[in-house]
Amino acid sequence: MKIALVGCGAAAEAVHIPAIARIFSPGDVVLVDPDRQRALELARLLGGGEVVGSHGRVRTEAAIVAVPNDLHANVVTDLLSAGVHVLCEKPLGRTAAEASAIAAAAPLGIVLGVAHFRRFFPSLELLKELLDRRFYGRPVRFEAEEGFVYAWAHSGFMLDRERAGGGVLIDLGTHVLDELRHLFGPLELERYQDDSHGGVEADCRLQLSAGGVPGTLELSRTRTLGSRLLVECEDGLVSGSLARGAPILVADRHGTSHTLEVDKEVAGEDGGYLAAFERQLRLFLDAARSGSPPPVPASDAIAVAEFVDACYSTRAQLSQPWVFETLIGVSAV
Amino acid sequence: MEYERVLVTGASGFVGSRVVEQLTLAGHLHVRAGYHRAARAARIARLGVELVATDLLDPQSLRAALEGCDAVVHCAYGTEGAMRETRAVTVRGTATLAALARSAGVRRFVHLSSVAVWGFGARPPSIDETLPPSPGRHAYASAKAAAEDALSAEAARGLPVVVLRPTNVFGPHSRFFTVALIEALRAGGPALIGDGRTPANTVYVDNLVAAVIAALKRPEAVGETFIVSDDDGGTWRDLYEAYAAMGSPPFSIHSITEAEHRALRARRLRLSDLRADLRALARSPEAGQLIRAASERPALRRAAGRLLRGTPGGRDRVRAWGVRPSTQGPSPPAPPGPSPELAQLQLANVRFRSDKLRKALGWEPPVPFAQAMRLTEEWLRFSRLP
C-alpha cells in the first residue's frame, strides 16, 4: 500500500512524517502541498518520496489529511470520492454539519478515520481500565484542565474563526473532549464560557457531564496549566495527564497512594507521542486493508463536534476583570 | 480621535496586546494588529480585529500593513536572535516603518521607546525629558536610543511623531515586572538588593495605554517626547510587598547586599558548569549499565535510585529502570537572585518624572496602584502563578 500526506505544515512535520517513516519506505510516500519547497523539505526529512502540488493528483490507496480546518471538507470528500482511504486530522469539520457531510461522502468500503491520536496513549488505556474496572468504585466527579502558552508554528489560519472554526475549544478541546467521552461516555453541556470578543477564544471554562459523571474542564492558550485529569471516585482518587503518557497517581480515601507508570519502552521516550501516532496509523491501515471500522470512526468526531457546536451556541463571557474594569474612554484622556 | 485605521506593531507583545485590546474593546478605533509570529498571537486573535503578519525587516510586509492606516502605534522591537539581529529590527526596522508611514501619509506615529535610552549607569537622581539620552553600551538601551534618532530624521521630514518613554511596565502579562518578581518570591530566594528604598519607577500597563491614547488624540503631542511613569513615589520594597501579600501565606521578602548578590551570581555560573557535567554523566551508557546492575541487587536498588535521582536528568533514568526510591530527591538549586538588569534597576536611586506628560497632555494615571495590584493579582490567580 502507498500513502499520501496531504498538507505539509507543522503537524505533518512534527508527527505524521515520523510515523510514516516507521511504516513506509520513502518510495511509497507522496507528499502533497501547493508550496512545492515545503513539500520538498519534508521529502528530505523522510529521505525521499514523490512530491505533488494538489490532492487531485493523489493516486495512492490511503492518505493522511493535515490541511487547515477550512479545507478538510473539500480535500477529504474529493479523496473519499476517488476511493482513497482517509485519516483526517482533527477537527474533522468546523461544525457537526460539516463533519457529517464529510462522513457521508465515504463510499461503501472506503475508510474514513479521524486522528484523535491521544486514544493511543498506553497511559490513557490504563486510566480507562482503572475507571472501567471500578478500581476505587464508581466515578463521582472529575476536573480536567489543559493549557500551554500557544507556540504551535502554523500559517495563521488558526487565528481566523472562519477558517479554524473556533479557538482553543475546537483545537485542543477536541482532543480532551474525545478523551473524556472515551473514558466516561456521552457528553452533556451545562455551561460554557470563553474570552472571545469576536475572534477565536484563547481561554474557556466548561461545566459538563460525561457518561453522567459531572465535571469541569478548563482550556487555555495563554496559561501554563499543564494537563491534568482528576477523577474522584467513591473510594479514592485517580489522577493523570491527558496530553501525554505521564504516570497515573491513585490514592484511596485513607491516603495510601501509588504511582502507576507505563514502561518507557512501551510509552516511548517522548511521552508517547510518536508511538501513539504510529499505532494510530497502523490501525487505520489495517482497517483500510480489511475494510473494518477505523480505530476512531467519523461518528466519534461528529459527536465531539456536536458538543463543540453546543458550547459555541450557548457561550457566555468569561469573567476577566483585568480586561474590562479599566477600559479607557476617549474622554478620560 | 478621527482616524480611519490604526496600525499597532508588536501587537502580540505585552504592551501591544493591551493597546489593541483597549482600542478595540473601548470602541475607540478600527485597529489593524501587526504580529510577527502567528504562534504568539492567541491573545489578540480573541478580539476579532484585523490581523496582519509583519516583519520590520521586510518593507513589502510593512507597506501592506500600512495600507489604509492613518495612524501607527509602534510597539515592536527586536527580541529574537543575536544582538545584531535584534538591533537591526529595532533600529533599521523602525526607520523603515517610519519612512513608509510618512510616504503613506500617516497623520500620527506614536513610538513606544523606553527610559532605557538613559542607560543603566550613573544618572542624576531626578530625570525629565530635558536630559539628553545616554544609553551607554547596553544593547537594548542603545538600540532604543538609535531607533529614536532614526525617527527624528523622519520627523524632520514631516512625519508627526510622538515618542513615549515608559518606565518599568507591570500588570497582567508582564513578564519582567510581574511574573518574574512573583516567581522569585515564590522560589523563596533573594529578591531585593539592599533595603529596597529606591524608586521602582513603575507604570501600570493601562496607564501607559492611556498615554498612548493621549498621544494619538492630542495635537500638542506631535514632535514631543514624554516619560510615562505612574511617578507615585513607590519603591522596590513597596512593589515586592504588594506581590508578597498575594502569597497564601504571604511570601517572605529576602534581601541581600550588593556584594552578596555579585557573589551569588558568580557561584551560580560555576554551579551551572557542574550541572552540565553531571547531566552528561547521568545520560552516559556507563551510568545506564551501573543502574541496571544495581537494580538487580535489592540492597543497592534503593541506594542507586537515590544516587541517580540526585543528578539532573537522572530522575528519568531511575523511572525507566523501575527503581522507586521512597525518599525525595535533593532540593532544587538555590534561586539565583535578581538578574543583572533587575539588580541595576533596584540599585539605581533615580526617579523618572512624568510632569511633562501631565501638564502638556493632561494625562493622569487612571488606575491607581492599589487597583492595579488587585487586577494584577486576579490575573495572576487566573494564571495559577502566586
Side-chain angles (χ1 to χ4, degrees), chain A residues 145 150-156 159 195-203 205 218 221-223 225 247 259 261 263-264 318 320-331 333, chain B residues 1 18 21-22 25-26 28 35 38-43 45-48 51 172-173 204 206 209-210 213-214 217-218 316 319-320 324 366-367 371 374-375 378-379 382-384:
Chain A
E145 61 182 14
Y150 198 56
W152 192 242
H154 59 86
S155 61
L159 307 178
D195 64 346
S196 164
H197 302 281
V200 293
E201 77 283 354
D203 284 273
R205 271 186 190 146
E218 196 155 346
R221 279 177 172 173
T222 65
R223 297 175 289 159
L225 303 179
T259 301
E261 195 165 4
D263 194 288
K264 284 216 164 150
L318 193 63
Q320 294 182 312
W322 57 90
V323 174
F324 290 100
E325 189 176 306
T326 49
L327 289 180
I328 299 159
V330 177
S331 58
V333 290
Chain B
M1 232 171 7
R18 189 56 180 158
E21 269 182 359
Q22 283 274 8
L25 297 176
H28 294 304
Y35 64 89
R40 295 183 185 161
R43 197 175 150 205
R46 294 152 45 233
L47 302 170
L51 300 172
H173 301 278
Y204 184 59
D206 281 340
V209 177
I213 293 170
K217 180 183 171 191
R218 299 298 188 99
D316 290 342
R319 287 198 183 126
R324 294 280 187 279
V367 187
Q371 185 185 12
R374 177 175 57 74
L375 293 170
E378 291 198 51
W379 174 76
F382 179 69
S383 302
R384 319 277 164 84

XYZ file of all heavy atoms in Angstrom, chain A residues 145 150-156 159 195-203 205 218 221-223 225 247 259 261 263-264 318 320-331 333, chain B residues 1 18 21-22 25-26 28 35 38-43 45-48 51 172-173 204 206 209-210 213-214 217-218 316 319-320 324 366-367 371 374-375 378-379 382-384:
703
model
N -8.100 19.856 33.084
C -7.588 21.137 32.594
C -6.368 20.889 31.726
O -5.614 19.939 31.945
C -7.263 22.096 33.729
C -6.204 21.621 34.684
C -5.983 22.612 35.819
O -6.808 23.520 36.002
O -4.969 22.459 36.519
N 0.555 29.244 23.815
C 0.475 28.767 22.437
C 1.772 29.037 21.689
O 2.267 30.157 21.688
C -0.694 29.472 21.759
C -1.161 28.795 20.500
C -1.545 27.470 20.512
C -1.234 29.489 19.315
C -1.987 26.854 19.363
C -1.695 28.885 18.164
C -2.062 27.567 18.199
O -2.501 26.953 17.060
N 2.325 28.032 21.086
C 3.582 28.220 20.358
C 3.632 27.338 19.124
O 4.701 27.038 18.624
C 4.762 27.911 21.278
N 2.472 26.894 18.658
C 2.417 25.993 17.518
C 2.710 26.792 16.251
O 1.998 27.761 15.961
C 1.022 25.374 17.481
C 0.859 24.212 16.540
C 0.028 24.175 15.468
C 1.478 22.934 16.606
N 0.115 22.949 14.859
C 1.002 22.164 15.532
C 2.428 22.359 17.462
C 1.421 20.862 15.290
C 2.837 21.062 17.216
C 2.331 20.332 16.147
N 3.736 26.411 15.530
C 4.098 27.164 14.327
C 3.104 26.839 13.217
O 3.082 25.732 12.712
C 5.504 26.779 13.894
N 2.268 27.756 12.881
C 1.262 27.496 11.846
C 1.158 28.714 10.940
O 1.740 29.758 11.204
C -0.095 27.182 12.486
C -0.595 28.292 13.350
N -1.315 29.340 12.851
C -0.450 28.524 14.671
C -1.605 30.160 13.828
N -1.104 29.697 14.942
N 0.388 28.559 9.900
C 0.375 29.593 8.873
C -0.491 30.792 9.243
O -0.492 31.792 8.560
C -0.171 28.982 7.586
O -1.505 28.517 7.823
N -1.225 30.719 10.303
C -2.073 31.836 10.694
C -3.543 31.513 10.582
O -4.375 32.271 11.091
N -5.827 31.604 13.643
C -6.230 32.866 14.258
C -7.544 33.379 13.677
O -8.039 34.418 14.090
C -5.140 33.927 14.040
C -3.717 33.535 14.468
C -2.744 34.661 14.150
C -3.685 33.217 15.950
N -13.338 33.627 26.316
C -12.856 35.014 26.332
C -12.865 35.634 24.938
O -12.176 36.620 24.705
C -11.443 35.063 26.927
C -10.421 34.321 26.075
O -10.834 33.549 25.178
O -9.212 34.511 26.294
N -13.632 35.062 24.017
C -13.685 35.629 22.670
C -14.420 36.974 22.678
O -15.375 37.170 23.416
C -14.412 34.658 21.733
O -14.800 35.330 20.554
N -13.930 37.865 21.842
C -14.651 39.124 21.587
C -14.799 39.260 20.075
O -14.444 40.281 19.497
C -13.887 40.305 22.168
C -13.653 40.180 23.629
N -14.603 40.456 24.570
C -12.575 39.740 24.295
C -14.111 40.215 25.765
N -12.889 39.780 25.631
N -15.277 38.219 19.460
C -15.443 38.223 18.014
C -14.380 37.421 17.289
O -14.533 37.096 16.120
N -13.290 37.112 17.984
C -12.235 36.310 17.376
C -12.265 34.893 17.912
O -13.317 34.406 18.336
N -11.113 34.239 17.895
C -11.045 32.860 18.392
C -10.622 32.870 19.861
O -9.661 33.534 20.231
C -10.085 31.986 17.559
C -10.637 31.794 16.160
C -8.690 32.566 17.500
N -11.370 32.127 20.672
C -11.111 32.130 22.110
C -9.745 31.529 22.432
O -9.314 30.575 21.772
C -12.225 31.385 22.863
C -12.174 29.874 22.796
C -12.657 29.304 21.463
O -13.149 30.081 20.613
O -12.519 28.080 21.270
N -9.115 32.135 23.451
C -7.829 31.607 23.916
C -7.991 30.855 25.229
O -7.152 30.028 25.575
C -6.827 32.742 24.088
N -9.043 31.175 25.970
C -9.304 30.515 27.251
C -10.781 30.182 27.327
O -11.627 30.986 26.907
C -8.960 31.443 28.421
C -7.467 31.543 28.645
O -6.923 30.703 29.374
O -6.846 32.456 28.066
N -13.890 27.827 29.857
C -14.254 27.011 31.016
C -15.573 26.325 30.726
O -16.495 26.961 30.201
C -14.469 27.895 32.247
C -13.232 28.128 33.041
C -13.560 28.896 34.322
N -12.321 29.314 34.951
C -12.149 30.428 35.625
N -13.167 31.262 35.781
N -10.995 30.717 36.157
N -11.164 23.110 31.874
C -10.597 24.425 31.598
C -9.500 24.257 30.549
O -8.661 23.359 30.671
C -10.027 25.020 32.892
C -9.772 26.483 32.808
C -9.789 27.183 34.172
O -10.260 26.593 35.164
O -9.335 28.315 34.217
N -4.828 28.798 25.903
C -3.690 29.043 25.013
C -2.778 30.130 25.565
O -1.823 30.528 24.901
C -4.193 29.520 23.649
C -4.658 28.433 22.734
C -5.192 29.045 21.454
N -5.464 28.013 20.472
C -6.057 28.232 19.309
N -6.431 29.467 18.974
N -6.275 27.246 18.475
N -3.122 30.666 26.730
C -2.315 31.762 27.277
C -1.681 31.409 28.607
O -0.872 32.168 29.119
C -3.174 33.027 27.503
O -4.156 32.740 28.520
C -3.869 33.477 26.243
N -2.061 30.278 29.180
C -1.583 29.943 30.530
C -0.940 28.559 30.542
O -1.355 27.670 29.805
C -2.747 29.940 31.522
C -3.402 31.277 31.680
C -4.606 31.158 32.568
N -5.705 30.445 31.933
C -6.693 29.862 32.592
N -6.710 29.883 33.905
N -7.662 29.254 31.945
N -1.086 25.622 32.251
C -1.863 24.831 33.205
C -1.359 23.395 33.259
O -1.719 22.633 34.155
C -3.344 24.804 32.800
C -4.051 26.147 32.656
C -5.504 25.939 32.236
C -3.990 26.933 33.952
N 2.797 9.426 34.347
C 2.362 8.487 35.385
C 0.951 8.805 35.884
O 0.500 9.944 35.817
C 3.373 8.720 36.516
C 4.519 9.412 35.899
C 3.995 10.168 34.736
N 1.915 5.220 42.445
C 2.125 5.784 41.109
C 2.215 4.634 40.116
O 3.009 3.714 40.310
C 3.420 6.605 41.071
O 3.318 7.633 42.034
C 3.618 7.241 39.700
N 2.917 3.559 36.259
C 3.644 4.139 35.133
C 3.802 3.114 34.027
O 4.155 1.966 34.286
C 5.022 4.586 35.608
C 5.718 5.490 34.653
C 6.890 6.191 35.340
O 7.169 5.900 36.502
O 7.503 7.018 34.686
N 5.819 1.542 31.138
C 7.243 1.462 30.858
C 7.590 2.307 29.636
O 6.853 2.334 28.650
C 7.625 0.006 30.603
C 9.129 -0.181 30.649
O 9.804 0.269 29.700
O 9.598 -0.735 31.646
N 8.728 2.965 29.712
C 9.109 3.853 28.605
C 9.293 3.094 27.300
O 9.160 3.656 26.223
C 10.382 4.597 28.956
C 10.116 5.713 29.931
C 10.955 6.905 29.679
C 10.337 8.072 30.422
N 11.297 9.047 30.841
N -16.394 34.910 29.645
C -15.550 34.559 30.782
C -15.216 35.836 31.547
O -14.850 36.843 30.945
C -14.266 33.907 30.248
C -13.350 33.179 31.215
C -14.042 31.982 31.847
C -12.106 32.710 30.464
N -13.151 38.392 33.244
C -11.737 38.778 33.283
C -11.662 40.265 33.644
O -11.501 41.120 32.771
C -11.065 38.509 31.930
C -10.995 37.020 31.585
C -10.286 36.746 30.287
O -10.558 37.381 29.276
N -9.377 35.784 30.302
N -11.777 40.574 34.931
C -11.845 41.994 35.330
C -10.642 42.806 34.893
O -10.765 44.009 34.650
C -11.949 41.932 36.858
C -11.813 40.524 37.256
C -11.927 39.651 36.065
N -9.458 42.169 34.781
C -8.277 42.921 34.366
C -8.369 43.368 32.907
O -7.635 44.246 32.478
C -7.010 42.086 34.578
C -7.045 40.777 33.865
C -6.611 40.518 32.605
C -7.596 39.552 34.355
N -6.859 39.212 32.280
C -7.448 38.593 33.330
C -8.197 39.168 35.553
C -7.889 37.272 33.472
C -8.617 37.863 35.695
C -8.459 36.927 34.671
N -9.303 42.776 32.176
C -9.509 43.205 30.787
C -10.512 44.355 30.732
O -10.308 45.336 30.019
C -10.009 42.030 29.917
C -10.358 42.512 28.500
C -8.959 40.927 29.847
N -11.585 44.230 31.503
C -12.722 45.145 31.314
C -12.796 46.305 32.303
O -13.315 47.359 31.969
C -14.029 44.354 31.401
C -14.236 43.453 30.232
C -13.959 42.105 30.317
C -14.658 43.966 29.018
C -14.124 41.276 29.233
C -14.829 43.143 27.919
C -14.561 41.796 28.026
N -12.324 46.086 33.512
C -12.585 47.075 34.567
C -11.936 48.416 34.279
O -12.432 49.459 34.705
C -12.092 46.516 35.909
C -12.494 47.366 37.106
C -12.059 46.724 38.408
O -12.405 45.540 38.643
O -11.370 47.403 39.194
N -10.839 48.417 33.550
C -10.093 49.663 33.352
C -10.030 50.066 31.881
O -9.037 50.640 31.432
C -8.659 49.509 33.911
O -8.108 48.289 33.408
C -8.674 49.464 35.419
N -11.088 49.779 31.155
C -11.122 50.252 29.764
C -11.150 51.778 29.777
O -11.875 52.399 30.555
C -12.334 49.683 29.033
C -12.268 48.185 28.717
C -13.532 47.747 27.981
C -11.035 47.829 27.900
N -10.353 52.347 28.906
C -10.149 53.799 28.946
C -10.979 54.473 27.861
O -10.763 54.249 26.670
C -8.655 54.123 28.742
C -7.845 53.483 29.873
C -8.428 55.632 28.697
C -6.392 53.306 29.531
N -11.922 55.292 28.279
C -12.718 56.042 27.316
C -11.915 57.214 26.778
O -10.984 57.698 27.409
N -12.263 57.657 25.603
C -11.545 58.786 24.992
C -11.620 60.022 25.880
O -10.662 60.776 26.031
C -12.140 59.099 23.606
C -11.455 60.314 23.006
C -11.967 57.912 22.689
N -12.755 60.211 26.530
C -12.926 61.414 27.348
C -12.034 61.393 28.581
O -11.825 62.408 29.228
C -14.388 61.546 27.773
O -14.755 60.378 28.482
N -8.905 60.951 28.680
C -7.551 61.484 28.479
C -7.591 62.798 27.710
O -8.583 63.146 27.114
C -6.664 60.477 27.711
C -6.345 59.286 28.582
C -7.309 60.052 26.421
N -10.896 61.678 18.340
C -9.832 61.000 17.631
C -10.374 60.493 16.310
O -11.125 59.547 16.276
C -9.366 59.827 18.490
C -7.911 59.828 18.696
S -7.255 58.646 19.887
C -8.551 57.599 20.413
N -2.197 44.829 24.819
C -3.134 45.613 25.642
C -3.563 46.880 24.904
O -4.712 47.324 25.058
C -2.486 45.954 26.987
C -3.436 46.570 27.988
C -4.654 45.709 28.266
N -5.561 46.335 29.253
C -6.850 46.050 29.370
N -7.415 45.154 28.582
N -7.590 46.650 30.270
N -6.270 45.618 22.681
C -7.471 45.329 23.495
C -8.203 46.604 23.863
O -9.421 46.718 23.699
C -7.065 44.623 24.802
C -7.052 43.132 24.730
C -6.678 42.488 26.072
O -6.404 43.203 27.065
O -6.646 41.266 26.114
N -7.437 47.574 24.360
C -8.068 48.823 24.808
C -8.715 49.563 23.638
O -9.861 50.008 23.738
C -7.026 49.723 25.481
C -6.662 49.305 26.897
C -7.614 49.890 27.943
O -8.640 50.488 27.611
N -7.288 49.710 29.205
N -11.782 47.174 22.499
C -12.897 46.917 23.432
C -13.541 48.208 23.929
O -14.719 48.229 24.267
C -12.419 46.070 24.611
C -11.923 44.675 24.247
C -11.390 43.949 25.478
C -13.019 43.859 23.586
N -12.769 49.272 24.005
C -13.362 50.543 24.427
C -14.002 51.250 23.234
O -14.537 52.347 23.368
C -12.310 51.430 25.082
N -12.754 52.601 20.533
C -12.155 53.837 20.023
C -11.994 53.833 18.509
O -12.383 54.757 17.821
C -10.751 54.032 20.606
C -10.728 54.254 22.068
N -11.424 55.257 22.665
C -10.078 53.609 23.046
C -11.195 55.225 23.965
N -10.399 54.233 24.223
N 1.477 41.448 13.762
C 2.196 40.489 14.600
C 3.325 39.875 13.783
O 3.289 39.849 12.564
C 1.257 39.382 15.110
C 0.685 38.505 14.013
C 1.359 37.361 13.589
C -0.500 38.845 13.370
C 0.855 36.565 12.573
C -1.012 38.060 12.345
C -0.322 36.915 11.949
O -0.814 36.136 10.937
N 2.621 34.058 14.246
C 1.230 33.665 14.480
C 1.095 32.873 15.776
O 0.096 32.972 16.490
C 0.723 32.834 13.303
N 2.132 32.098 16.101
C 2.061 31.244 17.285
C 1.877 32.056 18.558
O 1.406 31.540 19.558
C 3.327 30.399 17.388
N 2.282 33.332 18.523
C 2.204 34.135 19.752
C 1.013 35.083 19.758
O 0.894 35.943 20.638
C 3.489 34.946 19.915
C 4.667 34.032 20.123
C 5.918 34.826 20.355
N 7.053 33.915 20.424
C 8.307 34.271 20.256
N 8.592 35.531 20.021
N 9.264 33.392 20.328
N 0.150 34.944 18.791
C -0.916 35.931 18.636
C -2.254 35.478 19.219
O -3.281 36.069 18.923
C -1.067 36.290 17.158
N -2.240 34.467 20.079
C -3.500 33.923 20.613
C -4.304 34.996 21.352
O -5.533 35.027 21.266
C -3.216 32.750 21.545
N -3.609 35.874 22.054
C -4.311 36.865 22.874
C -5.065 37.869 22.009
O -6.209 38.222 22.309
C -3.280 37.571 23.764
C -3.882 38.297 24.923
C -2.783 38.864 25.817
N -3.263 40.067 26.461
C -2.485 41.031 26.897
N -1.175 40.944 26.769
N -3.004 42.099 27.468
N -5.894 37.390 18.877
C -6.824 36.699 17.962
C -8.213 36.575 18.589
O -9.185 36.311 17.890
C -6.281 35.315 17.604
N -8.325 36.747 19.904
C -9.641 36.726 20.574
C -10.520 37.883 20.132
O -11.742 37.862 20.308
C -9.476 36.894 22.096
C -8.792 35.806 22.804
C -8.101 36.353 24.065
N -8.915 37.256 24.844
C -8.544 38.480 25.232
N -7.370 38.972 24.886
N -9.345 39.225 25.959
N -9.878 38.957 19.651
C -10.582 40.240 19.570
C -11.329 40.453 18.262
O -12.068 41.431 18.140
C -9.574 41.374 19.781
C -8.831 41.300 21.125
C -7.690 42.302 21.167
C -9.797 41.562 22.279
N -11.109 39.600 17.310
C -11.794 39.786 16.033
C -11.293 40.995 15.263
O -11.994 41.509 14.389
N -5.909 41.084 11.598
C -4.559 40.646 11.948
C -3.706 40.611 10.686
O -4.163 40.148 9.639
C -4.584 39.247 12.560
C -5.402 39.069 13.834
C -5.508 37.597 14.214
C -4.787 39.855 14.980
N -1.021 42.610 34.289
C -1.293 41.317 33.680
C -0.452 41.102 32.415
O -0.360 41.989 31.580
C -2.790 41.392 33.328
C -3.337 42.346 34.330
C -2.259 43.368 34.560
N 0.168 39.945 32.323
C 1.002 39.513 31.189
C 2.409 40.113 31.194
O 3.175 39.852 30.269
C 0.345 39.795 29.835
C -0.984 39.132 29.657
N -1.106 37.811 29.274
C -2.251 39.590 29.840
C -2.394 37.503 29.217
N -3.114 38.558 29.562
N 1.637 51.171 35.463
C 0.674 50.095 35.189
C 0.349 50.109 33.696
O 0.215 51.183 33.088
C -0.591 50.292 36.014
C -1.604 49.168 35.849
C -1.267 47.858 36.159
C -2.888 49.413 35.378
C -2.174 46.827 36.006
C -3.819 48.386 35.228
C -3.446 47.090 35.538
O -4.346 46.069 35.379
N -2.177 49.782 31.838
C -3.295 50.579 31.330
C -3.028 52.078 31.445
O -3.589 52.867 30.674
C -4.591 50.212 32.063
C -5.182 48.921 31.520
O -4.832 48.535 30.389
O -5.986 48.289 32.223
N -1.210 52.746 28.375
C -2.130 52.792 27.227
C -2.896 54.126 27.225
O -3.151 54.693 26.150
C -3.102 51.589 27.242
C -4.089 51.693 26.079
C -2.340 50.278 27.144
N -3.215 54.631 28.399
C -3.875 55.947 28.462
C -2.970 57.018 27.849
O -3.451 57.942 27.170
C -4.220 56.292 29.907
N -3.164 56.685 24.098
C -4.403 57.283 23.570
C -4.287 58.814 23.564
O -4.684 59.478 22.595
C -5.617 56.800 24.391
C -5.820 55.285 24.170
C -6.881 57.568 24.016
C -6.832 54.645 25.104
N -3.700 59.368 24.627
C -3.498 60.829 24.663
C -2.573 61.268 23.533
O -2.787 62.309 22.893
C -2.924 61.236 26.018
N -4.471 61.329 20.415
C -5.593 62.264 20.403
C -5.165 63.736 20.395
O -5.750 64.550 19.673
C -6.432 61.978 21.659
C -7.646 62.838 21.847
C -8.314 62.479 23.169
C -9.417 63.460 23.502
N -9.906 63.289 24.878
N -4.138 64.066 21.182
C -3.812 65.472 21.401
C -2.880 66.016 20.318
O -1.771 65.511 20.145
C -3.134 65.651 22.764
C -3.973 65.238 23.952
C -5.229 66.096 24.026
N -5.946 65.840 25.250
C -5.875 66.602 26.339
N -5.114 67.685 26.349
N -6.571 66.289 27.403
N 14.672 10.657 35.339
C 14.020 9.894 34.275
C 14.657 8.515 34.118
O 13.983 7.543 33.835
C 14.123 10.641 32.936
C 13.252 11.877 32.947
O 12.353 11.946 33.811
O 13.489 12.762 32.119
N 13.310 6.183 36.735
C 11.969 5.696 36.398
C 12.038 4.645 35.296
O 11.331 3.657 35.314
C 11.096 6.852 35.935
C 10.682 7.745 37.085
C 9.489 8.568 36.653
N 9.117 9.486 37.711
C 8.996 10.789 37.547
N 9.209 11.327 36.371
N 8.639 11.555 38.540
N 12.928 4.887 34.330
C 12.998 3.997 33.175
C 13.346 2.578 33.604
O 12.909 1.624 32.990
C 14.028 4.513 32.183
N 12.198 2.736 42.456
C 11.229 3.630 43.086
C 11.686 4.025 44.481
O 11.140 3.561 45.468
C 9.864 2.932 43.222
C 9.194 2.615 41.910
C 8.506 3.866 41.344
N 7.724 3.516 40.172
C 8.248 3.366 38.952
N 9.544 3.552 38.776
N 7.478 3.048 37.952
N -4.929 56.724 35.121
C -6.315 56.440 35.518
C -6.453 55.295 36.509
O -7.469 55.207 37.192
C -6.999 56.076 34.186
C -5.910 55.746 33.239
C -4.701 56.475 33.692
N -5.436 54.443 36.595
C -5.549 53.288 37.502
C -4.565 53.466 38.655
O -3.348 53.394 38.452
C -5.248 51.964 36.762
C -5.545 50.768 37.662
C -6.049 51.871 35.467
N -5.548 49.543 42.881
C -6.442 48.875 41.915
C -5.616 48.072 40.911
O -5.982 46.946 40.547
C -7.294 49.915 41.190
C -8.333 49.295 40.260
C -9.103 50.341 39.452
O -8.715 51.521 39.408
N -10.186 49.931 38.818
N -4.632 44.914 42.523
C -5.768 43.988 42.689
C -6.055 43.267 41.368
O -6.236 42.047 41.329
C -7.017 44.749 43.169
C -8.245 43.849 43.295
C -9.432 44.568 43.891
N -9.843 45.761 43.170
C -10.489 45.752 42.000
N -10.774 44.603 41.402
N -10.839 46.876 41.413
N -6.054 44.031 40.278
C -6.322 43.419 38.972
C -5.186 42.480 38.558
O -5.421 41.408 37.990
C -6.526 44.502 37.914
C -7.785 45.350 38.117
C -7.783 46.555 37.188
C -9.045 44.510 37.888
N -5.640 39.300 40.379
C -6.705 38.459 39.805
C -6.188 37.714 38.583
O -6.496 36.544 38.364
C -7.924 39.311 39.458
C -8.617 39.836 40.710
C -10.029 40.305 40.438
O -10.793 39.544 39.830
O -10.356 41.442 40.837
N -5.398 38.432 37.764
C -4.831 37.766 36.587
C -3.836 36.688 36.992
O -3.816 35.594 36.429
C -4.148 38.791 35.670
C -3.439 38.105 34.547
C -4.004 37.546 33.434
C -2.032 37.832 34.452
N -3.029 36.965 32.655
C -1.823 37.125 33.252
C -0.940 38.146 35.272
C -0.554 36.714 32.848
C 0.328 37.733 34.862
C 0.505 37.028 33.666
N -5.709 33.691 38.053
C -6.240 33.041 36.849
C -5.130 32.210 36.179
O -5.369 31.114 35.679
C -6.752 34.123 35.904
C -7.311 33.625 34.597
C -8.497 32.915 34.547
C -6.650 33.903 33.410
C -9.012 32.473 33.337
C -7.159 33.473 32.195
C -8.342 32.752 32.170
N -3.919 32.747 36.222
C -2.783 32.090 35.587
C -2.086 31.106 36.511
O -1.030 30.576 36.155
C -1.772 33.136 35.108
O -2.387 34.029 34.225
N -2.643 30.906 37.701
C -2.106 29.958 38.711
C -0.670 30.310 39.078
O 0.151 29.422 39.292
C -2.141 28.523 38.191
C -3.361 28.139 37.441
C -4.483 27.746 38.371
N -5.752 27.728 37.666
C -6.198 26.710 36.957
N -5.491 25.619 36.880
N -7.366 26.770 36.360
